Amino acid sequence: GAGVSQSPSNKVTEKGKDVELRCDPISGHTALYWYRQSLGQGLEFLIYFQGNSAPDKSGLPSDRFSAERTGGSVSTLTIQRTQQEDSAVYLCASRQDRGGNEQFFGPGTRLTVL
Amino acid sequence: AQSVSQHNHHVILSEAASLELGCNYSYGGTVNLFWYVQYPGQHLQLLLKYFSGDPLVKGIKGFEAEFIKSKFSFNLRKPSVQWSDTAEYFCAVNAPSGANNLFFGTGTRLTVIP
């Protein structure tokens, strides 16, 4: 595709349920990032994938959060036992490893935990 | 750790007024600097970036930013704003090594009154 896509665009869930958020990066981009944008705050880095290397998980806020990237392309962010404070917009970005350091962002998934 | 400060949370201007949005960062090493814009209902997109060279960089839609290393600043400017510039503006930095994840400011909401 022409850009980064994410699904679903909106997700409403009940506290305690698990959710999965999907990101399709730009074809050929080897780097993939997840960020979280909470109300009134800037974007917060969550996790980074680069090719087949082990991901950088240093931004994950708790062990309820995990992510994987299959085949170096599509990524899934999973939040287990969701809490109300998990409500936010979750953004995915991809970057072409060669040249330029620009990250291209997807439209985000708005997660609401009731 | 890196951090980014945007001191203007909400700026309201009339059309044709000049704009300057402040951005200060905290990091002792070499950084890459970015301004991203998020128009209502749209995803984040890159406005301009600075990696090296001329500290005055020009971006899309008549925006420019000046990197002042001694002040750890990267302020965004536009001489004459338009109603269509109404959006949220995010300053971001990263270090050109490691994960390259972006550290974002909390954003500045710009409202341009026709």
Side-chain angles (χ1 to χ4, degrees), chain B residues 11 13 16 23 26 33 36 45 53 68-69 72-73 75-76 86 93-94 101 105 108 110 113:
Chain B
V11 173
L13 294 172
C23 173
S26 155
L33 297 154
Y36 279 85
Q45 52 189 288
I68 303 179
K69 189 175 181 179
F72 297 89
S73 69
N75 292 355
L76 180 71
T86 295
V93 307
N94 73 0
N101 56 285
T108 297
L110 172 66
I113 301 170

Side-chain angles (χ1 to χ4, degrees), chain B:
Chain B
Q2 299 172 52
S3 66
V4 180
S5 298
Q6 292 181 246
H7 304 292
N8 310 108
H9 297 294
H10 188 191
V11 173
I12 303 173
L13 294 172
S14 298
E15 276 193 317
S18 64
L19 170 72
E20 180 159 4
L21 301 182
C23 173
N24 289 90
Y25 66 93
S26 155
Y27 184 68
T30 302
V31 292
N32 299 321
L33 297 154
F34 306 81
W35 276 96
Y36 279 85
V37 60
Q38 188 169 28
Y39 297 103
Q42 298 187 27
H43 59 274
L44 274 170
Q45 52 189 288
L46 184 69
L47 201 54
L48 49 78
K49 62 186 178 184
Y50 172 80
F51 291 162
S52 63
D54 189 345
L56 183 62
V57 293
K58 297 195 182 294
I60 59 172
K61 303 186 180 184
F63 286 91
E64 65 178 30
E66 184 176 13
F67 170 50
I68 303 179
K69 189 175 181 179
S70 61
K71 295 184 178 180
F72 297 89
S73 69
F74 191 56
N75 292 355
L76 180 71
R77 300 195 292 249
K78 185 171 183 178
S80 176
V81 294
Q82 301 174 319
W83 176 78
S84 58
D85 294 325
T86 295
E88 187 137 19
Y89 293 80
F90 294 92
C91 181
V93 307
N94 73 0
S97 64
N100 283 174
N101 56 285
L102 292 166
F103 291 84
F104 284 87
T106 52
T108 297
R109 184 154 60 100
L110 172 66
T111 301
V112 180
I113 301 170

Side-chain angles (χ1 to χ4, degrees), chain A residues 64-81:
Chain A
R64 295 186 295 103
F65 287 72
S66 63
E68 61 178 23
R69 188 179 184 192
T70 53
S73 181
V74 171
S75 177
T76 303
L77 177 69
T78 301
I79 309 173
Q80 296 178 311
R81 305 180 303 281

